[in-house]
Amino acid sequence: MKTPAKPRARRRIITLIATGAVVLVLVAFGVYGLATGPARPPEGASPVPTAAGPTVASSPSISPSPPMPGVPPVHASRDPETFAGNVAHALFTWDTTTGLMPLDYTAALLDVGDPTGTEQAGLAADIATYLPTRQAWIDLRQYATTQSLTIDSIEVPASWGEALAQAHPGQLPEGATAYTIHGTRHRQGVWNGQTTTAERDVSFTVFIACPTGKPCSLLRLSQLDNPME
């Protein structure tokens, strides 16, 4: 049996009226919101500022921390004596207050090491004997300890000629030479609020290679205070 047309028409009208009422309610609330602005915050709550544009969540204002300084690179040179002096200063110049560690200073010296990589492991072991251990570094940092070097003399040791004569063909890289350095190690720190300094004579030999037309590279280091003479 067919549903009478009039009841169907009434239901359609009721549905349209209900839908229209919902739309009117939403529009009314929208207009009311635009007219009155945002709702007031609860009693005691901090008011939230409004902006003309879209609201963007802002992160707390944090001043960027300054970048930690790096270890200055060892200055390259094609002059053997100049390069040996640059290595000496890089080896003895450090600052425990910068946040850097001994391995950072080691890396700077390895950057000018043997480009073939043959001597890198031995060179890293040599450098470690010149720098404080990690724990000693942490202890020295409590006293804001810094170190530098004054070079008193730098010269090719007399016995280097004999070493070259005894070397087998291909045993030494092209342009290999050695420089023995005598100098004064300076340390400065703070003890009980007072600046204190200490000086110590040091001597060592730097073994380098300076191929024709190319920058010098660092091969090895002698034991501290046991240089080639």
Side-chain angles (χ1 to χ4, degrees):
M1 184 176 64
K2 293 183 178 180
T3 305
K6 287 184 179 181
R8 286 206 305 270
R10 280 198 297 270
R11 283 198 296 271
R12 188 177 302 156
I13 292 171
I14 292 171
T15 301
L16 291 172
I17 292 172
T19 304
V22 172
V23 173
L24 288 174
V25 168
L26 293 175
V27 171
F29 273 110
V31 173
Y32 177 79
L34 290 174
T36 61
R40 293 183 179 180
E43 187 73 24
S46 299
V48 180
T50 59
T55 303
V56 179
S58 59
S59 57
S61 178
I62 301 176
S63 300
S65 56
M68 186 176 67
V71 177
V74 181
H75 294 297
S77 178
R78 295 181 181 180
D79 179 71
E81 183 174 332
T82 299
F83 181 70
N86 294 343
V87 167
H89 282 295
L91 186 61
F92 280 87
T93 302
W94 44 255
D95 186 344
T96 62
T97 67
T98 60
L100 298 168
M101 297 299 291
L103 284 179
D104 297 308
Y105 291 89
T106 299
L109 287 160
L110 291 177
D111 282 344
V112 295
D114 177 18
T116 68
T118 303
E119 301 292 346
Q120 288 290 77
L123 176 59
D126 294 342
I127 297 169
T129 65
Y130 282 76
L131 293 171
T133 63
R134 179 182 178 86
Q135 186 56 54
W137 187 274
I138 293 172
D139 294 339
L140 290 170
R141 182 180 289 167
Q142 300 177 48
Y143 308 106
T145 307
T146 62
Q147 181 176 281
S148 61
L149 176 72
T150 298
I151 295 177
D152 299 324
S153 66
I154 175 170
E155 56 186 7
V156 176
S159 58
W160 178 246
E162 183 180 349
L164 286 176
Q166 294 179 354
H168 299 295
Q171 186 176 359
L172 295 175
E174 179 189 353
T177 188
Y179 280 89
T180 291
I181 298 171
H182 292 266
T184 304
R185 185 192 75 182
H186 308 274
R187 279 192 181 180
Q188 180 174 303
V190 179
W191 177 263
N192 291 332
Q194 300 293 323
T195 300
T196 59
T197 60
E199 296 181 350
R200 178 182 181 278
D201 292 337
V202 293
S203 58
F204 54 99
T205 300
V206 176
F207 298 92
I208 62 177
C210 299
T212 303
K214 295 181 180 179
C216 300
S217 60
L218 175 60
L219 300 177
R220 297 294 298 268
L221 300 166
S222 73
Q223 290 181 336
L224 181 60
D225 297 329
N226 187 23
M228 177 180 284
E229 299 293 355

